[in-house]
Amino acid sequence: MEQIKVSSEADKVEIYRELLPQLESLVSGESDFIANASNLSAALKQALPHASWVGFYFMKEGELVVGPFQGKVACTRISLGRGVCGTAAAENRTIIVRNVAEFPGHIYCDPDSKSEIVVPIARDGEVFGVLDLDSAAYGSFDSVDEKNLERVASLVEGLIGSTSRRR
Ligand code: SME
């Protein structure tokens, strides 16, 4: 079984430095998209102590539908342009929210969520979905998360269209 290993005392930069190669390795032997997205959400949740919810929303018929995630039950569908996820998808840009109460239209899936980061997953300029992380503390996400989670989004972008065959 794959193990995700990061030092519990490592700071955020070090956690991502150790984690990213492991995420690449985690998906390298498997081409099933849902399997890989599921394990990526689990690995991120396991490795990032500041994240209370980690998961994907994917575009389906013009709206975001929840995909593989780790955390409490979440909103199933989010319209494009609504909430942090729908705004990040509509504008194809990463959004960091230090205090969710201050983001107009933020959607409360989990009342404990205090801050959030949403990174779009896009191919050829077309948004395919988003990677969403919540935290139970204010101001948990910063440019370190942005840079590294955008790398995770790139990894996912490379998996779009993969089939259920083993590589
Ligand atoms: N807070 C998000 C909704 C998704 S959950 O956080 C899992 C939003 O405003 O889009």
Side-chain angles (χ1 to χ4, degrees), residues 53-55 57 64 66 69 72-75 78 82-87 100 103-110 113 115-116 118 130 132-134:
W53 194 95
V54 178
Y57 280 86
L64 291 166
V66 76
F69 70 93
K72 289 187 186 168
V73 170
C75 317
I78 298 174
R82 283 202 59 233
V84 189
C85 291
T87 305
V100 295
F103 187 93
H106 170 265
I107 301 164
Y108 278 96
C109 289
D110 175 0
S113 174
S115 58
E116 181 163 7
V118 180
V130 297
D132 179 20
L133 279 76
D134 286 287

Side-chain angles (χ1 to χ4, degrees), residues 16 94-96 117 119 141-151:
Y16 282 116
T94 296
I95 298 179
I96 295 173
I117 183 169
V119 180
F141 302 107
D142 55 23
S143 58
V144 173
D145 299 284
E146 178 176 17
K147 189 172 101 182
N148 286 285
L149 294 173
E150 285 179 353
R151 289 184 179 146

Side-chain angles (χ1 to χ4, degrees), residues 22-50:
Q22 296 185 70
L23 297 184
E24 283 166 16
S25 141
L26 188 61
V27 301
S28 67
E30 177 56 60
S31 62
D32 185 275
F33 185 80
I34 294 296
N36 284 330
S38 302
N39 268 336
L40 288 174
S41 68
L44 287 166
K45 177 72 169 62
Q46 203 176 313
L48 301 176
H50 55 304

